[in-house]
Amino acid sequence: MTPDEPNETHFGFRTVAEKDKAGLVHGVFSRVASRYDVMNDLMSAGVHRVWKTAMMDWLAPRDGQHLLDVAGGTGDIAFRFLERASGARVTVCDMTESMLVEGRKRAEADRLADRLGWVTGDAMQLPFADNSFDRYTISFGIRNVTRIPDALAEARRVLRPGGRLMVLEFSQMPVPMLQWLYDRYSFNVIPVMGQIVANDRDSYQYLVESIRKFPDQESFATMIREAGFGRVQWRNLSMGIAALHSGWKL
């Protein structure tokens, strides 16, 4: 690549200029925001709720902690964290304002308003000072980031020493036949479901493709270590359909 050629990345299975990906992702989530939670329930048959409960079990929220939940627009992780720690605070950060709007509409948002903030921002350039948060979470969002190492570096920057990163993301199943079956479901059912429920096949086609482009469990763990986190661990959920990754700012 010559200096005059733009850097490239993937948008699903398409190759696009890096400078264009954020806008494309923003368009996807702007279109699906109003049906996002409904589609999550339908696509996973509700299992995403079990995964998020597992995330909270491992994260173990405590009073006095301040969580930054990135790409958390509809508030699922934020509300769960605050329900478990009545003296904690959460800042939800999402690049798509319409996702934040949907989160603020939920009944929990009013009930927890005094401990909950909503901020529009980019995971690769967070609008927060160094050493601001005790915990950082991102749930089904990091695969949509243009440069994942930049997002991980920002996560470490805004965490206080001793702070913890936790990522919930779709991953790779270790049994090839099971992965093949899951791929058949993903590519043949989810886009059709998106067309029927959200009137948007293309966005859900992208979301399925983005899952397949995301690194496997150990490759992503290596990226977290390279960002400077210690004590990096991961756990499979539902035989590897999703995975939790944990790291600490030591």
Side-chain angles (χ1 to χ4, degrees):
M1 181 176 297
T2 68
D4 293 332
E5 294 177 329
N7 292 329
E8 294 181 337
T9 187
H10 60 82
F11 177 74
F13 290 164
R14 291 167 50 195
T15 298
V16 299
E18 276 193 353
K19 64 181 179 62
D20 295 333
K21 181 169 180 176
L24 292 167
V25 171
H26 183 276
V28 166
F29 286 95
S30 294
R31 291 191 296 273
V32 305
S34 65
R35 306 297 288 170
Y36 184 77
D37 289 330
V38 171
M39 280 295 295
N40 278 350
D41 280 332
L42 291 173
M43 287 187 301
S44 70
V47 175
H48 76 100
R49 298 175 182 270
V50 177
W51 297 339
K52 290 168 182 173
T53 296
M55 185 182 200
M56 288 299 108
D57 289 345
W58 199 12
L59 193 59
R62 296 288 184 268
D63 287 352
Q65 292 178 341
H66 190 179
L67 166 70
L68 174 63
D69 183 37
V70 175
T74 60
D76 255 12
I77 299 303
F79 300 144
R80 283 173 166 79
F81 191 91
L82 292 175
E83 293 288 356
R84 295 201 184 199
S86 60
R89 293 180 294 146
V90 177
T91 298
V92 179
C93 181
D94 199 293
M95 69 178 293
T96 308
E97 177 63 26
S98 56
M99 292 288 284
L100 296 173
V101 168
E102 292 302 317
R104 288 193 290 260
K105 288 179 182 177
R106 293 174 59 169
E108 301 98 316
D110 284 337
R111 180 164 51 83
L112 301 169
D114 61 329
R115 296 185 285 135
L116 183 59
W118 307 85
V119 176
T120 304
D122 186 339
M124 297 188 300
Q125 194 170 7
L126 294 169
F128 308 109
D130 297 358
N131 307 314
S132 296
F133 299 95
D134 303 291
R135 298 291 184 265
Y136 173 113
T137 53
I138 182 166
S139 174
F140 303 117
I142 201 159
R143 75 181 190 279
N144 299 307
V145 173
T146 303
R147 295 186 300 279
I148 293 173
D150 289 6
L152 293 172
E154 278 290 271
R156 189 176 185 281
R157 179 184 68 79
V158 301
L159 280 169
R160 297 185 177 109
R164 189 180 188 185
L165 163 82
M166 188 164 287
V167 181
L168 171 59
E169 188 53 86
F170 290 109
S171 199
Q172 308 295 327
M173 302 180 79
V175 179
M177 179 55 68
L178 292 178
Q179 184 66 58
W180 183 87
L181 290 171
Y182 181 66
D183 284 349
R184 301 288 75 69
Y185 163 75
S186 297
F187 284 98
N188 293 305
V189 176
I190 290 178
V192 174
M193 195 180 297
Q195 179 63 45
I196 294 169
V197 177
N199 194 31
D200 190 345
R201 182 188 182 102
D202 290 347
S203 290
Y204 284 93
Q205 181 71 33
Y206 158 72
L207 291 173
V208 170
E209 292 176 0
S210 69
I211 293 169
R212 296 282 65 82
K213 296 294 288 186
F214 191 70
D216 64 25
Q217 291 88 326
E218 190 52 46
S219 297
F220 185 53
T222 297
M223 295 176 74
I224 296 172
R225 294 185 189 102
E226 290 174 347
F229 287 94
R231 294 168 54 193
V232 176
Q233 298 174 285
W234 55 268
R235 297 176 178 178
N236 276 338
L237 303 172
S238 299
M239 298 180 290
I241 292 176
L244 282 169
H245 282 76
S246 171
W248 296 81
K249 181 176 177 177
L250 302 178

